[in-house]
Amino acid sequence: MLTKSPKGWQIPERHATPEEVFLDRRKLLQGMGFLGMSALAQQAFGAIAPDLYPAKRDAKYTLDRPLTAEPVATGYNNFYEFTLDKRRVKDMVGPFEIEPWKVKVHGLINNPKTYDIDDLVRAFPLEERLYRFRCVETWAMAVPWTGFQISHLIQAADPKPEAKYIRMVSVDRPEQMPGIRSQPHYPWPYFEALEIKEAMNELALFVTGIYGKPLPKQNGAPIRLITPWKYGLKSIKSIVEIEFTEKRPPTLWNKVGPTEYGWYSNVNPKKPHPRWSQATDRLIPTGEERPTLLYNGYEEYVAGLYNGKEY
Ligand code: MTE
C-alpha cells in the first residue's frame, strides 16, 4: 500500500541529495582546505590486523562496471544504528569501539567457539574479491571486499545434521550508536539469516576489509556479511553472534516490512518493490543507469540454490 508519509521502517533514501552535488560540494570544501577528508577517513578505518592487507586478489571474480571510488563506498552508508543519513554515518562512528571484539559461534554445531576478532581474521584464508553490490533502494556500486568464505567457518563449526540456517546478530551498543537510541521502533539489535546451503556458496563472505585495508567502522567493522546476489540489506554489519538453527530465523527487514522485504531478498529485476521498480541499477556516484541483473549477475553461481524458483 502506498502511503504519503513513510513509516519508520521504510528505507527512505530515494529522494536524497544527488551524489554528484554532494561530491562537488566536497571537492570545493577540500579545495578550500576545510575538510581533512583523508584524515577523517583514516580515523574511521578499523585497525584490526593491518598486516593482513592488502590480501591477494582472486582474479576469478570480475566486474562489468567500473570500481566505485573508495571515498564514495566509504562515505555513503546504510547503518541505521547510527543514523538514517547515509552521508553522516562516517562522521558518527568515532566513539564506536571495535576492539576488543568477540564473535560467538554456537547452536546446532559440534564445535562451538567464541573467537576474538584478531584470531578470527587469521583463522581462515583472506582474499580480495571484486563484487557488484546492489541495495534494495536501487543504488549500486562495485567494491573490492577482503574476507573469507563462510564455508570455511561452517566446516570448522561442524554443523549437526538438523542444522539448516545460520542466524547472525549485530552488536547492540546504544551508548555508542545514537541511532539505536533515537529509533526505538526498530527491533534492535539488527538480525539476519541465511540457509546453510546459501552460506556454503562460494560467493558468501565474511568481510573484514575493503580497498585493501581493514574495514572502516561505517562499512561494518570489524566483520560483516557480503552475499552479492542479494540486496544489500542482507549484508549485516558488525556481527557478534552466529547461531546455527533448525527453524528458519526471522530477519529484521522481513519482520518489520514483510510486504516490502522478502526473507531471501535475492536481486530480481522482475519482482518490483511495492513502492518502486527493481528493473534498473543506479550506479553511484554518476547516476548511470543499467538494467538490473537477476541475482545481480551471479546466476551461474547461485541459481542452483533455488531449484528454478524465484525468491
Ligand atoms: N547492518 C546493520 N547492522 N545495520 C544496518 O543499518 N544496513 C544494511 C546493510 N547492513 C545495515 C546493515 C543495508 S540496507 C545496506 S544497503 C548495507 O548494509 C550497506 O552497506 P554499506 O554501507 O557498506 O554500503
Side-chain angles (χ1 to χ4, degrees):
M1 190 175 67
L2 283 170
T3 48
K4 266 196 172 158
S5 51
K7 297 195 178 88
W9 45 263
Q10 293 180 328
I11 299 182
E13 183 266 348
R14 313 206 75 246
H15 306 292
T17 316
E19 193 77 21
E20 314 78 75
V21 176
F22 161 73
L23 289 175
D24 278 356
R25 188 172 147 267
R26 205 172 73 167
K27 226 187 276 165
L28 180 76
L29 290 174
Q30 256 174 337
M32 293 165 79
F34 285 139
L35 279 181
M37 280 313 293
S38 53
L40 267 181
Q42 287 295 325
Q43 268 177 23
F45 266 93
I48 313 280
D51 56 299
L52 297 178
Y53 304 88
K56 192 168 182 309
R57 181 176 293 178
D58 188 333
K60 178 174 172 192
Y61 306 96
T62 53
L63 293 173
D64 59 348
R65 57 195 67 186
L67 204 61
T68 305
E70 181 179 339
V72 176
T74 59
Y76 185 81
N77 303 101
N78 271 334
F79 205 163
Y80 278 23
E81 288 89 329
F82 292 93
T83 171
L84 271 56
D85 183 341
K86 297 183 190 347
R87 296 180 175 87
R88 284 186 61 228
V89 178
K90 67 176 183 319
D91 303 324
M92 297 178 68
V93 293
F96 175 42
E97 287 167 16
I98 55 166
E99 233 181 344
W101 190 279
K102 290 188 190 302
V103 180
K104 180 178 177 186
V105 183
H106 68 117
L108 297 172
I109 51 177
N110 292 315
N111 298 324
K113 181 165 176 166
T114 297
Y115 289 89
D116 271 320
I117 190 66
D118 304 81
D119 298 331
L120 184 54
V121 288
R122 292 176 199 283
F124 309 107
L126 285 188
E127 57 177 279
E128 182 177 76
R129 295 191 186 176
L130 310 182
Y131 279 170
R132 290 179 285 275
F133 183 94
R134 170 61 153 78
C135 179
V136 72
E137 302 159 341
T138 76
W139 57 269
M141 54 183 181
V143 178
W145 303 108
T146 303
F148 59 86
Q149 281 191 198
I150 302 181
S151 61
H152 296 309
L153 183 138
I154 294 177
Q155 274 151 9
D158 190 12
K160 297 188 172 164
E162 61 272 29
K164 296 282 177 297
Y165 298 92
I166 59 168
R167 179 181 83 96
M168 291 152 282
V169 186
S170 293
V171 75
D172 187 16
R173 298 241 190 97
E175 68 289 2
Q176 294 177 6
M177 299 173 130
I180 293 187
R181 303 197 301 268
S182 62
Q183 304 171 90
H185 46 279
Y186 286 110
W188 307 115
Y190 202 100
F191 48 99
E192 255 305 333
L194 294 171
E195 292 178 348
I196 291 181
K197 70 173 173 144
E198 295 182 296
M200 285 297 290
N201 187 275
E202 69 175 83
L203 295 179
L205 298 182
F206 280 134
V207 157
T208 60
I210 189 173
Y211 294 93
K213 290 171 256 187
L215 202 58
K217 296 177 187 178
Q218 63 269 29
N219 291 92
I223 185 163
R224 58 111 36 108
L225 176 69
I226 284 293
T227 43
W229 71 99
K230 292 176 176 284
Y231 292 120
L233 56 87
K234 292 292 286 186
S235 65
I236 180 171
K237 296 178 168 181
S238 304
I239 297 168
V240 289
E241 186 183 342
I242 300 166
E243 183 186 8
F244 289 70
T245 69
E246 184 172 6
K247 271 181 55 189
R248 190 170 93 166
T251 66
L252 185 145
W253 285 106
N254 183 238
K255 188 167 179 190
V256 301
T259 57
E260 308 225 342
Y261 312 105
W263 190 90
Y264 286 92
S265 281
N266 292 328
V267 176
N268 186 344
K270 289 186 292 196
K271 208 174 182 187
H273 183 279
R275 288 181 289 130
W276 59 80
S277 161
Q278 291 291 23
T280 310
D281 287 12
R282 182 171 51 83
L283 304 193
I284 57 167
T286 58
E288 182 193 332
E289 298 202 339
R290 298 220 180 183
T292 296
L293 305 167
L294 181 63
Y295 299 120
N296 202 21
Y298 295 103
E299 193 172 357
E300 61 175 302
Y301 295 94
V302 299
L305 290 171
Y306 307 110
N307 296 327
K309 286 187 240 145
E310 285 180 8
Y311 293 97

PDB file of all heavy atoms in Angstrom, residues 102-130:
ATOM      1  N   LYS A 102      34.393  -9.786  20.232  1.00  0.00           N
ATOM      2  CA  LYS A 102      34.259 -11.253  20.202  1.00  0.00           C
ATOM      3  C   LYS A 102      33.097 -11.649  19.311  1.00  0.00           C
ATOM      4  O   LYS A 102      32.114 -10.912  19.226  1.00  0.00           O
ATOM      5  CB  LYS A 102      34.007 -11.784  21.614  1.00  0.00           C
ATOM      6  CG  LYS A 102      35.224 -11.680  22.522  1.00  0.00           C
ATOM      7  CD  LYS A 102      34.982 -12.392  23.834  1.00  0.00           C
ATOM      8  CE  LYS A 102      36.050 -12.116  24.864  1.00  0.00           C
ATOM      9  NZ  LYS A 102      37.402 -12.474  24.446  1.00  0.00           N
ATOM     10  N   VAL A 103      33.234 -12.777  18.638  1.00  0.00           N
ATOM     11  CA  VAL A 103      32.154 -13.331  17.819  1.00  0.00           C
ATOM     12  C   VAL A 103      31.846 -14.732  18.345  1.00  0.00           C
ATOM     13  O   VAL A 103      32.706 -15.616  18.334  1.00  0.00           O
ATOM     14  CB  VAL A 103      32.539 -13.395  16.329  1.00  0.00           C
ATOM     15  CG1 VAL A 103      31.383 -13.974  15.513  1.00  0.00           C
ATOM     16  CG2 VAL A 103      32.934 -12.014  15.802  1.00  0.00           C
ATOM     17  N   LYS A 104      30.598 -14.889  18.809  1.00  0.00           N
ATOM     18  CA  LYS A 104      30.193 -16.172  19.398  1.00  0.00           C
ATOM     19  C   LYS A 104      29.551 -17.051  18.330  1.00  0.00           C
ATOM     20  O   LYS A 104      28.579 -16.641  17.693  1.00  0.00           O
ATOM     21  CB  LYS A 104      29.186 -15.892  20.521  1.00  0.00           C
ATOM     22  CG  LYS A 104      28.682 -17.120  21.219  1.00  0.00           C
ATOM     23  CD  LYS A 104      27.718 -16.729  22.344  1.00  0.00           C
ATOM     24  CE  LYS A 104      27.169 -17.994  22.988  1.00  0.00           C
ATOM     25  NZ  LYS A 104      26.137 -17.712  23.984  1.00  0.00           N
ATOM     26  N   VAL A 105      30.128 -18.209  18.106  1.00  0.00           N
ATOM     27  CA  VAL A 105      29.595 -19.162  17.123  1.00  0.00           C
ATOM     28  C   VAL A 105      29.018 -20.330  17.902  1.00  0.00           C
ATOM     29  O   VAL A 105      29.753 -21.011  18.638  1.00  0.00           O
ATOM     30  CB  VAL A 105      30.708 -19.635  16.158  1.00  0.00           C
ATOM     31  CG1 VAL A 105      30.135 -20.575  15.100  1.00  0.00           C
ATOM     32  CG2 VAL A 105      31.391 -18.440  15.485  1.00  0.00           C
ATOM     33  N   HIS A 106      27.709 -20.543  17.800  1.00  0.00           N
ATOM     34  CA  HIS A 106      27.085 -21.560  18.669  1.00  0.00           C
ATOM     35  C   HIS A 106      25.823 -22.124  18.023  1.00  0.00           C
ATOM     36  O   HIS A 106      25.530 -21.848  16.871  1.00  0.00           O
ATOM     37  CB  HIS A 106      26.781 -20.922  20.036  1.00  0.00           C
ATOM     38  CG  HIS A 106      25.702 -19.877  20.010  1.00  0.00           C
ATOM     39  ND1 HIS A 106      24.518 -20.013  20.691  1.00  0.00           N
ATOM     40  CD2 HIS A 106      25.613 -18.689  19.354  1.00  0.00           C
ATOM     41  CE1 HIS A 106      23.767 -18.953  20.482  1.00  0.00           C
ATOM     42  NE2 HIS A 106      24.406 -18.129  19.675  1.00  0.00           N
ATOM     43  N   GLY A 107      25.090 -22.909  18.771  1.00  0.00           N
ATOM     44  CA  GLY A 107      23.860 -23.514  18.243  1.00  0.00           C
ATOM     45  C   GLY A 107      24.087 -24.974  17.913  1.00  0.00           C
ATOM     46  O   GLY A 107      24.850 -25.680  18.590  1.00  0.00           O
ATOM     47  N   LEU A 108      23.479 -25.434  16.815  1.00  0.00           N
ATOM     48  CA  LEU A 108      23.488 -26.858  16.468  1.00  0.00           C
ATOM     49  C   LEU A 108      24.781 -27.239  15.734  1.00  0.00           C
ATOM     50  O   LEU A 108      24.798 -27.546  14.545  1.00  0.00           O
ATOM     51  CB  LEU A 108      22.263 -27.181  15.598  1.00  0.00           C
ATOM     52  CG  LEU A 108      20.905 -26.963  16.292  1.00  0.00           C
ATOM     53  CD1 LEU A 108      19.765 -27.108  15.302  1.00  0.00           C
ATOM     54  CD2 LEU A 108      20.750 -27.920  17.464  1.00  0.00           C
ATOM     55  N   ILE A 109      25.896 -27.158  16.467  1.00  0.00           N
ATOM     56  CA  ILE A 109      27.205 -27.482  15.895  1.00  0.00           C
ATOM     57  C   ILE A 109      28.004 -28.305  16.888  1.00  0.00           C
ATOM     58  O   ILE A 109      27.755 -28.259  18.097  1.00  0.00           O
ATOM     59  CB  ILE A 109      28.016 -26.205  15.524  1.00  0.00           C
ATOM     60  CG1 ILE A 109      28.077 -25.213  16.693  1.00  0.00           C
ATOM     61  CG2 ILE A 109      27.442 -25.552  14.294  1.00  0.00           C
ATOM     62  CD1 ILE A 109      28.918 -23.984  16.412  1.00  0.00           C
ATOM     63  N   ASN A 110      28.992 -29.027  16.388  1.00  0.00           N
ATOM     64  CA  ASN A 110      29.826 -29.833  17.274  1.00  0.00           C
ATOM     65  C   ASN A 110      30.972 -29.033  17.889  1.00  0.00           C
ATOM     66  O   ASN A 110      31.543 -29.463  18.887  1.00  0.00           O
ATOM     67  CB  ASN A 110      30.380 -31.048  16.509  1.00  0.00           C
ATOM     68  CG  ASN A 110      29.260 -32.011  16.168  1.00  0.00           C
ATOM     69  OD1 ASN A 110      28.415 -32.317  17.017  1.00  0.00           O
ATOM     70  ND2 ASN A 110      29.209 -32.474  14.925  1.00  0.00           N
ATOM     71  N   ASN A 111      31.341 -27.907  17.257  1.00  0.00           N
ATOM     72  CA  ASN A 111      32.476 -27.127  17.754  1.00  0.00           C
ATOM     73  C   ASN A 111      32.108 -25.679  18.067  1.00  0.00           C
ATOM     74  O   ASN A 111      32.576 -24.755  17.385  1.00  0.00           O
ATOM     75  CB  ASN A 111      33.614 -27.118  16.715  1.00  0.00           C
ATOM     76  CG  ASN A 111      34.152 -28.500  16.451  1.00  0.00           C
ATOM     77  OD1 ASN A 111      34.225 -29.328  17.362  1.00  0.00           O
ATOM     78  ND2 ASN A 111      34.513 -28.756  15.205  1.00  0.00           N
ATOM     79  N   PRO A 112      31.309 -25.443  19.092  1.00  0.00           N
ATOM     80  CA  PRO A 112      31.007 -24.053  19.442  1.00  0.00           C
ATOM     81  C   PRO A 112      32.280 -23.330  19.880  1.00  0.00           C
ATOM     82  O   PRO A 112      33.170 -23.957  20.465  1.00  0.00           O
ATOM     83  CB  PRO A 112      30.008 -24.163  20.601  1.00  0.00           C
ATOM     84  CG  PRO A 112      30.154 -25.545  21.135  1.00  0.00           C
ATOM     85  CD  PRO A 112      30.685 -26.405  20.028  1.00  0.00           C
ATOM     86  N   LYS A 113      32.368 -22.048  19.546  1.00  0.00           N
ATOM     87  CA  LYS A 113      33.606 -21.327  19.868  1.00  0.00           C
ATOM     88  C   LYS A 113      33.318 -19.829  19.903  1.00  0.00           C
ATOM     89  O   LYS A 113      32.553 -19.321  19.070  1.00  0.00           O
ATOM     90  CB  LYS A 113      34.634 -21.629  18.768  1.00  0.00           C
ATOM     91  CG  LYS A 113      35.965 -20.972  18.975  1.00  0.00           C
ATOM     92  CD  LYS A 113      37.035 -21.589  18.079  1.00  0.00           C
ATOM     93  CE  LYS A 113      38.331 -20.828  18.260  1.00  0.00           C
ATOM     94  NZ  LYS A 113      39.481 -21.493  17.732  1.00  0.00           N
ATOM     95  N   THR A 114      33.934 -19.144  20.845  1.00  0.00           N
ATOM     96  CA  THR A 114      33.867 -17.684  20.832  1.00  0.00           C
ATOM     97  C   THR A 114      35.232 -17.182  20.389  1.00  0.00           C
ATOM     98  O   THR A 114      36.239 -17.441  21.056  1.00  0.00           O
ATOM     99  CB  THR A 114      33.477 -17.136  22.221  1.00  0.00           C
ATOM    100  OG1 THR A 114      32.163 -17.610  22.520  1.00  0.00           O
ATOM    101  CG2 THR A 114      33.450 -15.610  22.214  1.00  0.00           C
ATOM    102  N   TYR A 115      35.252 -16.509  19.230  1.00  0.00           N
ATOM    103  CA  TYR A 115      36.521 -16.045  18.648  1.00  0.00           C
ATOM    104  C   TYR A 115      36.808 -14.618  19.104  1.00  0.00           C
ATOM    105  O   TYR A 115      35.914 -13.769  19.094  1.00  0.00           O
ATOM    106  CB  TYR A 115      36.425 -15.984  17.127  1.00  0.00           C
ATOM    107  CG  TYR A 115      36.371 -17.297  16.394  1.00  0.00           C
ATOM    108  CD1 TYR A 115      35.147 -17.925  16.147  1.00  0.00           C
ATOM    109  CD2 TYR A 115      37.526 -17.885  15.894  1.00  0.00           C
ATOM    110  CE1 TYR A 115      35.086 -19.110  15.425  1.00  0.00           C
ATOM    111  CE2 TYR A 115      37.468 -19.072  15.178  1.00  0.00           C
ATOM    112  CZ  TYR A 115      36.252 -19.674  14.937  1.00  0.00           C
ATOM    113  OH  TYR A 115      36.195 -20.835  14.217  1.00  0.00           O
ATOM    114  N   ASP A 116      38.042 -14.332  19.447  1.00  0.00           N
ATOM    115  CA  ASP A 116      38.499 -12.941  19.477  1.00  0.00           C
ATOM    116  C   ASP A 116      38.670 -12.530  18.028  1.00  0.00           C
ATOM    117  O   ASP A 116      39.162 -13.327  17.224  1.00  0.00           O
ATOM    118  CB  ASP A 116      39.861 -12.831  20.177  1.00  0.00           C
ATOM    119  CG  ASP A 116      39.679 -12.634  21.662  1.00  0.00           C
ATOM    120  OD1 ASP A 116      38.765 -11.883  22.038  1.00  0.00           O
ATOM    121  OD2 ASP A 116      40.443 -13.259  22.430  1.00  0.00           O
ATOM    122  N   ILE A 117      38.320 -11.300  17.693  1.00  0.00           N
ATOM    123  CA  ILE A 117      38.361 -10.900  16.289  1.00  0.00           C
ATOM    124  C   ILE A 117      39.767 -11.087  15.699  1.00  0.00           C
ATOM    125  O   ILE A 117      39.907 -11.496  14.542  1.00  0.00           O
ATOM    126  CB  ILE A 117      37.836  -9.459  16.087  1.00  0.00           C
ATOM    127  CG1 ILE A 117      37.646  -9.152  14.607  1.00  0.00           C
ATOM    128  CG2 ILE A 117      38.714  -8.415  16.741  1.00  0.00           C
ATOM    129  CD1 ILE A 117      36.588  -9.919  13.916  1.00  0.00           C
ATOM    130  N   ASP A 118      40.804 -10.831  16.505  1.00  0.00           N
ATOM    131  CA  ASP A 118      42.172 -10.970  15.970  1.00  0.00           C
ATOM    132  C   ASP A 118      42.456 -12.413  15.565  1.00  0.00           C
ATOM    133  O   ASP A 118      43.182 -12.669  14.613  1.00  0.00           O
ATOM    134  CB  ASP A 118      43.200 -10.507  17.007  1.00  0.00           C
ATOM    135  CG  ASP A 118      42.919  -9.098  17.441  1.00  0.00           C
ATOM    136  OD1 ASP A 118      42.024  -8.922  18.303  1.00  0.00           O
ATOM    137  OD2 ASP A 118      43.534  -8.178  16.905  1.00  0.00           O
ATOM    138  N   ASP A 119      41.860 -13.355  16.287  1.00  0.00           N
ATOM    139  CA  ASP A 119      42.042 -14.770  15.920  1.00  0.00           C
ATOM    140  C   ASP A 119      41.163 -15.114  14.718  1.00  0.00           C
ATOM    141  O   ASP A 119      41.586 -15.856  13.830  1.00  0.00           O
ATOM    142  CB  ASP A 119      41.667 -15.679  17.095  1.00  0.00           C
ATOM    143  CG  ASP A 119      42.559 -15.426  18.295  1.00  0.00           C
ATOM    144  OD1 ASP A 119      43.721 -15.020  18.079  1.00  0.00           O
ATOM    145  OD2 ASP A 119      42.090 -15.609  19.429  1.00  0.00           O
ATOM    146  N   LEU A 120      39.957 -14.567  14.698  1.00  0.00           N
ATOM    147  CA  LEU A 120      39.029 -14.910  13.614  1.00  0.00           C
ATOM    148  C   LEU A 120      39.573 -14.456  12.254  1.00  0.00           C
ATOM    149  O   LEU A 120      39.504 -15.196  11.276  1.00  0.00           O
ATOM    150  CB  LEU A 120      37.653 -14.279  13.902  1.00  0.00           C
ATOM    151  CG  LEU A 120      36.530 -14.601  12.936  1.00  0.00           C
ATOM    152  CD1 LEU A 120      36.337 -16.104  12.757  1.00  0.00           C
ATOM    153  CD2 LEU A 120      35.218 -13.975  13.414  1.00  0.00           C
ATOM    154  N   VAL A 121      40.142 -13.242  12.185  1.00  0.00           N
ATOM    155  CA  VAL A 121      40.657 -12.782  10.880  1.00  0.00           C
ATOM    156  C   VAL A 121      41.846 -13.609  10.406  1.00  0.00           C
ATOM    157  O   VAL A 121      42.152 -13.619   9.220  1.00  0.00           O
ATOM    158  CB  VAL A 121      41.069 -11.284  10.849  1.00  0.00           C
ATOM    159  CG1 VAL A 121      39.869 -10.382  10.893  1.00  0.00           C
ATOM    160  CG2 VAL A 121      42.055 -10.931  11.934  1.00  0.00           C
ATOM    161  N   ARG A 122      42.483 -14.294  11.361  1.00  0.00           N
ATOM    162  CA  ARG A 122      43.631 -15.126  10.961  1.00  0.00           C
ATOM    163  C   ARG A 122      43.271 -16.604  10.829  1.00  0.00           C
ATOM    164  O   ARG A 122      44.096 -17.418  10.424  1.00  0.00           O
ATOM    165  CB  ARG A 122      44.762 -14.977  11.984  1.00  0.00           C
ATOM    166  CG  ARG A 122      45.362 -13.592  11.964  1.00  0.00           C
ATOM    167  CD  ARG A 122      46.417 -13.402  13.048  1.00  0.00           C
ATOM    168  NE  ARG A 122      46.638 -11.977  13.281  1.00  0.00           N
ATOM    169  CZ  ARG A 122      47.353 -11.189  12.494  1.00  0.00           C
ATOM    170  NH1 ARG A 122      47.961 -11.678  11.441  1.00  0.00           N
ATOM    171  NH2 ARG A 122      47.477  -9.895  12.768  1.00  0.00           N
ATOM    172  N   ALA A 123      42.033 -16.954  11.191  1.00  0.00           N
ATOM    173  CA  ALA A 123      41.666 -18.376  11.235  1.00  0.00           C
ATOM    174  C   ALA A 123      41.455 -18.963   9.841  1.00  0.00           C
ATOM    175  O   ALA A 123      41.655 -20.153   9.626  1.00  0.00           O
ATOM    176  CB  ALA A 123      40.402 -18.554  12.074  1.00  0.00           C
ATOM    177  N   PHE A 124      41.020 -18.150   8.886  1.00  0.00           N
ATOM    178  CA  PHE A 124      40.675 -18.650   7.552  1.00  0.00           C
ATOM    179  C   PHE A 124      41.331 -17.759   6.506  1.00  0.00           C
ATOM    180  O   PHE A 124      41.560 -16.577   6.762  1.00  0.00           O
ATOM    181  CB  PHE A 124      39.148 -18.651   7.387  1.00  0.00           C
ATOM    182  CG  PHE A 124      38.437 -19.344   8.522  1.00  0.00           C
ATOM    183  CD1 PHE A 124      37.737 -18.623   9.479  1.00  0.00           C
ATOM    184  CD2 PHE A 124      38.532 -20.725   8.653  1.00  0.00           C
ATOM    185  CE1 PHE A 124      37.123 -19.269  10.554  1.00  0.00           C
ATOM    186  CE2 PHE A 124      37.913 -21.380   9.721  1.00  0.00           C
ATOM    187  CZ  PHE A 124      37.202 -20.649  10.669  1.00  0.00           C
ATOM    188  N   PRO A 125      41.620 -18.321   5.311  1.00  0.00           N
ATOM    189  CA  PRO A 125      42.374 -17.524   4.325  1.00  0.00           C
ATOM    190  C   PRO A 125      41.600 -16.304   3.834  1.00  0.00           C
ATOM    191  O   PRO A 125      40.465 -16.417   3.362  1.00  0.00           O
ATOM    192  CB  PRO A 125      42.609 -18.521   3.181  1.00  0.00           C
ATOM    193  CG  PRO A 125      41.706 -19.679   3.431  1.00  0.00           C
ATOM    194  CD  PRO A 125      41.322 -19.683   4.869  1.00  0.00           C
ATOM    195  N   LEU A 126      42.242 -15.130   3.970  1.00  0.00           N
ATOM    196  CA  LEU A 126      41.634 -13.891   3.485  1.00  0.00           C
ATOM    197  C   LEU A 126      41.983 -13.703   2.022  1.00  0.00           C
ATOM    198  O   LEU A 126      43.100 -13.969   1.606  1.00  0.00           O
ATOM    199  CB  LEU A 126      42.190 -12.680   4.239  1.00  0.00           C
ATOM    200  CG  LEU A 126      41.744 -12.414   5.665  1.00  0.00           C
ATOM    201  CD1 LEU A 126      42.281 -11.061   6.116  1.00  0.00           C
ATOM    202  CD2 LEU A 126      40.235 -12.449   5.818  1.00  0.00           C
ATOM    203  N   GLU A 127      41.027 -13.231   1.252  1.00  0.00           N
ATOM    204  CA  GLU A 127      41.316 -12.871  -0.135  1.00  0.00           C
ATOM    205  C   GLU A 127      40.483 -11.663  -0.525  1.00  0.00           C
ATOM    206  O   GLU A 127      39.486 -11.345   0.127  1.00  0.00           O
ATOM    207  CB  GLU A 127      41.024 -14.037  -1.080  1.00  0.00           C
ATOM    208  CG  GLU A 127      39.614 -14.563  -1.014  1.00  0.00           C
ATOM    209  CD  GLU A 127      39.374 -15.676  -2.029  1.00  0.00           C
ATOM    210  OE1 GLU A 127      39.146 -15.349  -3.195  1.00  0.00           O
ATOM    211  OE2 GLU A 127      39.425 -16.855  -1.628  1.00  0.00           O
ATOM    212  N   GLU A 128      40.938 -10.987  -1.585  1.00  0.00           N
ATOM    213  CA  GLU A 128      40.179  -9.837  -2.083  1.00  0.00           C
ATOM    214  C   GLU A 128      39.345 -10.258  -3.278  1.00  0.00           C
ATOM    215  O   GLU A 128      39.825 -11.004  -4.140  1.00  0.00           O
ATOM    216  CB  GLU A 128      41.130  -8.716  -2.490  1.00  0.00           C
ATOM    217  CG  GLU A 128      40.371  -7.484  -2.956  1.00  0.00           C
ATOM    218  CD  GLU A 128      41.302  -6.337  -3.304  1.00  0.00           C
ATOM    219  OE1 GLU A 128      41.933  -6.393  -4.379  1.00  0.00           O
ATOM    220  OE2 GLU A 128      41.406  -5.395  -2.512  1.00  0.00           O
ATOM    221  N   ARG A 129      38.116  -9.784  -3.316  1.00  0.00           N
ATOM    222  CA  ARG A 129      37.245 -10.068  -4.466  1.00  0.00           C
ATOM    223  C   ARG A 129      36.499  -8.814  -4.885  1.00  0.00           C
ATOM    224  O   ARG A 129      36.020  -8.049  -4.030  1.00  0.00           O
ATOM    225  CB  ARG A 129      36.207 -11.116  -4.086  1.00  0.00           C
ATOM    226  CG  ARG A 129      36.817 -12.461  -3.762  1.00  0.00           C
ATOM    227  CD  ARG A 129      35.728 -13.481  -3.666  1.00  0.00           C
ATOM    228  NE  ARG A 129      36.253 -14.762  -3.212  1.00  0.00           N
ATOM    229  CZ  ARG A 129      35.500 -15.812  -2.971  1.00  0.00           C
ATOM    230  NH1 ARG A 129      34.184 -15.732  -3.139  1.00  0.00           N
ATOM    231  NH2 ARG A 129      36.029 -16.941  -2.575  1.00  0.00           N
ATOM    232  N   LEU A 130      36.375  -8.632  -6.191  1.00  0.00           N
ATOM    233  CA  LEU A 130      35.597  -7.514  -6.724  1.00  0.00           C
ATOM    234  C   LEU A 130      34.167  -8.003  -6.932  1.00  0.00           C
ATOM    235  O   LEU A 130      33.939  -8.928  -7.712  1.00  0.00           O
ATOM    236  CB  LEU A 130      36.173  -7.040  -8.060  1.00  0.00           C
ATOM    237  CG  LEU A 130      37.679  -6.773  -8.088  1.00  0.00           C
ATOM    238  CD1 LEU A 130      38.088  -6.249  -9.470  1.00  0.00           C
ATOM    239  CD2 LEU A 130      38.066  -5.769  -7.013  1.00  0.00           C
TER     240      LEU A 130
END
